[in-house]
Each structure stands twice: as C-alpha cells, then as structure tokens.
Amino acid sequence: MSEDGADAATETFVAHRNLLFTVAYEMLGSAADAEDVLQETWLRWVEVDLEQVRDRRAYLVRITTRQALNRLRAMSRRKEAYVGSWLPEPLLTAPDVAEDAELAESVSMALMLVLETLSPTERAVFVLREVFDVGYEEIAAAVGKSSAAVRQIAHRARKHVDARRPRQAVSAAQTRAALESFRGALESGDPQDLLAVLAPDVVLVADGGGIKQAALRPIAGAERVARFMVGGIGKNDRNNLPMTLAPTVVNGSPALAVHLGGELDGIMTVRVEDSRITGLYYVRNPEKLARLASEIPLALR
C-alpha cells in the first residue's frame, strides 16, 4: 500500500473507530474482546485496496462483524466453563451516551443480557439491523447468508428480544431515583426498606467469575434478594470492610460503584419497571472492572 493509501486507511479507520467498537461490544458484551476484534479488523483493513471499496464505512462494519462472529462462537465455549453467572463487562460511558436514548438503550445491561439468549448469527443480525440500521443485503454479506435468510433471522430475533426486553421505556431520572432508594435501603440495613424498592419478582445476578465470591445462580424473589444483600453487608462489617455506594454511569445508565475498604469491589446496575427494581446485576469479577478508570466513547453512526 502506498503512503497515501496508508494515510487514507488510517484516517477512515480512526473516523469510524467508535462505531466499530460499539458494534463489536454489542455483539460480544466484552470490551476486552471488542478491542481484540478492532485490532483484527485493522490488520485486515490495511490489506484492502481502497480504490475497490465503494462504501468504506460499510466495508469496515462488515469486517468487524465477521471477526466478532468468529470470536462470539469461541466465547460460547468459554462461557460454558465460566464459574457462576456471566454478565456483560460494564463500561464507564460519557454523558453524551446517556443523553442519546437510542444508544443508551442499546448498550443497557438489561438489553445486553437479552442478547445473550440469541445465537451468534441472530445476535449479529439483530444488532446490525435494529441498532445500526444496516441494510439486509449488507448484513447478508457480513454474516454469509442470503438476504431472504437474513430477513427471517431478523424477524425471529426481533420477536425473541421484544418478548424479553423491558415492557416500557424508563428514563435515566427514573432509574436514578430507584437506585437512590435502593442505596438508602442498603445503607440502612433494614430488609423492609429494601422490600419497598424491590419488585416481588426481582432477580439478582452476580458475576464473580470464580475470582470473587458471588452467588453461583440467580436469586429470585424480593425477600430472598433482600436477605442476601443485608447478609452481605453484615459480613463486610464483621470483616471490618466498610461498604460505600457511589453513583456512576455505566453503559449509558445510572449505576452504583461499590467500594469495600476503599477499593472498588464491583458495579451494580438495575432494570426498573413501574418505579421498582426488577433486575439487579452485580459485576464483581475484577477482570471485568479494568475499563472503569476512563470513559469509553460509543457511537451508532
């Protein structure tokens, strides 16, 4: 590749990097794997004859999708051997992500968990079509299927996701209010205060990855979740590890950063419906907390 070609390739890649990272992250739920996919995309991109590329953005998305699909299939085997529940890696996001309702919803922990229930190809098709508005023919080229097959996959994936995603849109202010009530109840240590903010059918999912102690299976029901949370606080107190909860924003939504003894222990995010918490997600695996020191830029276009 000539020097001018290399400069053009670099300029194009940098211009679309945030978009490519967002595509890879929404397909994988892992920032570390998404970064690896971008590296693989770059290595293939610099070998491309740009004069033969009609739409450089679309071509880059196609490469990224193919690499992410390969990695997603490999991750499926890794998740089978994972200790306990697996949650997506939380990202510290900039204020503009939270202000973009479409982008914030697409990377929310609640939706990312629903995407985990799709097959790799279904997830790729859903993400490209529903989140990034990619045309069916372009998706077909990316996933190696016919346009007709992609339309069927998209319909099936959309129906699957719609049946499992939150029934109503919840604003950041509503989520923040629920989290503040939850934070106050947790700090009070009174299970009754927790029951007032938890929905009767709330589910707690904790991810320690076999490194940090966490419930190996989801805990369902407000009373069981309340007892588990209060019991955890009592255990920390007995070990002289004071717990503090600080508001933060991850994946475009309000969240709580949990510190034990002054050190980050994990990130709590919630799913809220009718002003009460229906889903509580606690990422404790330290390998998934590495990217919380700086904001990660995301983009849909």
Side-chain angles (χ1 to χ4, degrees), residues 18-19 21-22 25-26 91 93-94 96-97 103 107 251-252 296-300:
N18 293 347
L19 166 68
F21 177 87
T22 309
Y25 174 73
E26 292 202 22
L91 302 179
T93 46
D96 63 325
V97 175
L103 177 55
V107 295
N251 291 55
I296 303 294
L298 302 173
L300 290 181

Side-chain angles (χ1 to χ4, degrees), residues 93-100 249 295:
T93 46
D96 63 325
V97 175
E99 292 166 4
D100 185 333
V249 177
E295 294 175 347

Side-chain angles (χ1 to χ4, degrees), residues 80-243:
E80 289 175 1
Y82 197 78
V83 178
S85 300
W86 190 95
L87 288 172
E89 181 179 348
L91 302 179
L92 186 67
T93 46
D96 63 325
V97 175
E99 292 166 4
D100 185 333
E102 184 182 3
L103 177 55
E105 201 271 340
S106 75
V107 295
S108 68
M109 194 67 73
L111 181 59
M112 295 289 285
L113 281 171
V114 174
L115 296 183
E116 285 295 315
T117 64
L118 297 173
S119 71
T121 301
E122 286 175 336
R123 184 166 183 168
V125 170
F126 179 87
V127 166
L128 292 177
R129 182 60 187 166
E130 299 298 321
V131 179
F132 297 97
D133 197 28
V134 177
Y136 289 112
E137 290 188 5
E138 185 58 38
I139 297 174
V143 302
K145 302 281 187 181
S146 69
S147 294
V150 164
R151 287 178 182 274
Q152 291 181 338
I153 294 169
H155 175 75
R156 185 169 64 244
R158 188 185 310 115
K159 186 176 180 181
H160 180 95
V161 171
D162 286 345
R164 291 162 177 79
R165 74 198 316 171
R167 293 184 296 273
Q168 56 187 224
V170 178
S171 69
Q174 290 172 307
T175 301
R176 195 176 300 111
L179 269 175
E180 279 301 308
S181 297
F182 174 78
R183 177 188 180 189
L186 205 53
E187 290 174 341
S188 76
D190 187 341
Q192 292 304 313
D193 290 343
L194 277 173
L195 291 175
V197 70
L198 298 176
D201 58 351
V202 63
V203 176
L204 165 66
V205 182
D207 179 347
I211 302 172
K212 286 283 192 73
Q213 185 175 2
L216 295 178
R217 289 177 293 277
I219 299 173
E223 291 190 2
R224 292 184 65 203
V225 170
R227 285 198 303 270
F228 182 86
M229 297 302 297
V230 171
I233 296 173
K235 183 177 179 181
N236 294 328
D237 288 341
R238 289 191 296 274
N239 293 335
N240 296 317
L241 291 175
M243 182 177 74

Side-chain angles (χ1 to χ4, degrees), residues 18-42:
N18 293 347
L19 166 68
L20 301 178
F21 177 87
T22 309
V23 169
Y25 174 73
E26 292 202 22
M27 284 184 60
L28 300 169
S30 163
D33 287 283
E35 290 287 359
D36 288 343
V37 163
L38 258 61
Q39 180 63 24
E40 293 160 2
T41 298
W42 166 251

